[in-house]
Amino acid sequence: MRIVVLAGGIGGARFLRGLKQAVGPGADITVIGNTGDDIHLFGLKVCPDLDTVMYTLGGGIHEEQGWGRSEETYAVKSELKAYGVGPEWFGLGDKDFATHIVRTQMLGAGYPLSAVTEALCDRWQPGVRLIPMSDDRVETHVLIEEPDAEAGQGGRKAVHFQEFWVKLHASVPALGIIPVGAETAKPAPGVLEALAQADVIILPPSNPVVSVGTILAVPGIRAAVAGASAPVVGLSPIIGGAPVRGMADKVLAAVGVETSAAAVARHYGGRAAADGGRGTGLLDGWLVDESDAAAVAEVEAAGIPCRAVPLWMTDLDTTAAMARAALALAEEVRRA
Ligand code: GDP
Ligand code: CA
């Protein structure tokens, strides 16, 4: 069975670990990774979401933190600081630096990001095929109130997503989300083919705006998901009206979506319209947490078959059960 997953960082990576356990070693899993979080630091190309997936599935992740390398040291960072060279707010450890050096070196030699990612995965053996959404540069920017704006000027500025998320801790309102470069980006080689040949497409509990939303913003990808012959099933990243971990509510607000499991489902939309006609959305099925069972009727009223199951990724077995529930729902809604 060919499974395709559109993944961000932590939420996507943890889900994938459960999916791998659920389907066993023979499975064919392709991960289309978000690169909108990518940032250039110290002359190096950093791809946080691709690396989180690679390290998590390859056994190199810092488990508690959810990103970066395990048993990391920060000698390079403190030496840079001694030179007065920042930014200090982005945590790059020594082991992690090596990944970014190899990546930047290969990109400089002319390899596309997809080939570089494949080369990095040769070491980590994540057990999935990890493809960046695009080889072209896409950088998510967040529109915020200009802090220095003179009173009454109503100034706004766009900051890099990492500055909003990591430096500002999403503590100021996001007025808009702009995937800079997405409109002219092309899907990386293999992305559209994987979606067309998939037996199941899964939207994991990744951020619907700045992870999955950015992937879908690359022209051709949304249409390939909406038009795929495979069933498309998603798992809610929102439980009980709150993002389980992180600050997804801040970016949902920026796109006018309420922080609830049902609102995120409606945001993705159903592939079959409620009246049985052709919908314009992406989902054939949606899973909400058992504590959100009351949302099932609302989601189904929007034409999306919905089930309530435990969605806390507390350990590998629970996460594998989530993946099995997603695959079971996919079979249930698979069109003959
Ligand atoms: P990021 O790129 O590192 O932010 O990771 P993703 O976009 O892949 O996933 C982040 C989202 O995962 C967060 O917005 C949370 O809502 C969601 N999330 C994290 N842990 C859990 C969990 O245990 N269960 C569910 N359902 N969602 C989770
Ligand atoms: Ca991310």
Side-chain angles (χ1 to χ4, degrees), residues 7-13 37 49 165 205-207 211 236-239 243-245 248 311-314 322:
I10 302 178
D37 293 14
D49 285 1
W165 204 249
S206 280
N207 190 306
S211 291
S236 179
I238 305 298
I239 299 180
V244 184
R245 299 180 181 87
L311 287 190
W312 280 92
M313 298 190 281
T314 41
M322 279 167 59

Side-chain angles (χ1 to χ4, degrees), residues 76-313:
V76 174
K77 195 179 178 198
S78 67
E79 287 296 308
L80 287 165
K81 188 181 173 190
Y83 283 111
V85 174
E88 272 175 53
W89 48 265
F90 203 85
L92 289 182
D94 299 332
K95 293 180 181 179
D96 204 16
F97 259 112
T99 303
H100 312 315
I101 291 169
V102 174
R103 174 184 292 124
T104 307
Q105 184 168 280
M106 285 190 73
L107 289 170
Y111 291 95
L113 183 63
S114 50
V116 175
T117 304
E118 199 179 326
L120 294 171
C121 285
D122 266 348
R123 170 182 174 195
W124 290 102
Q125 296 290 314
V128 301
R129 180 163 171 239
L130 176 61
I131 320 179
M133 64 191 199
S134 178
D135 281 333
D136 301 320
R137 183 165 167 176
V138 178
E139 266 182 21
T140 304
H141 283 64
V142 180
L143 202 58
I144 61 170
E145 215 67 71
E146 171 77 77
D148 319 318
E150 286 174 33
Q153 295 278 317
R156 292 175 165 200
K157 67 168 181 177
V159 296
H160 191 287
F161 172 71
Q162 299 296 356
E163 188 174 340
F164 173 75
W165 204 249
V166 180
K167 185 182 179 190
L168 300 173
H169 300 289
S171 58
V172 297
L175 308 173
I177 309 291
I178 313 148
V180 179
E183 64 284 357
T184 54
K186 288 179 296 298
V191 167
L192 298 182
E193 294 79 355
L195 290 166
Q197 291 160 12
D199 296 308
V200 177
I201 297 171
I202 300 180
L203 305 186
S206 280
N207 190 306
V209 182
V210 291
S211 291
V212 179
T214 310
I215 299 171
L216 294 170
V218 176
I221 296 187
R222 173 179 284 274
V225 174
S229 56
V232 181
V233 171
L235 299 94
S236 179
I238 305 298
I239 299 180
V244 184
R245 299 180 181 87
M247 310 164 286
D249 49 323
K250 307 293 168 136
V251 288
L252 282 167
V255 298
V257 176
E258 181 194 308
T259 305
S260 76
V264 173
R266 280 190 269 106
H267 173 63
Y268 283 136
R271 284 218 289 181
D275 61 4
R278 193 163 171 72
T280 52
L282 302 174
L283 296 172
D284 293 304
W286 186 243
L287 294 179
V288 300
D289 184 65
E290 50 189 352
S291 65
D292 286 322
V296 170
E298 185 186 343
V299 175
E300 295 210 322
I304 305 165
C306 183
R307 305 285 175 270
V309 298
L311 287 190
W312 280 92
M313 298 190 281

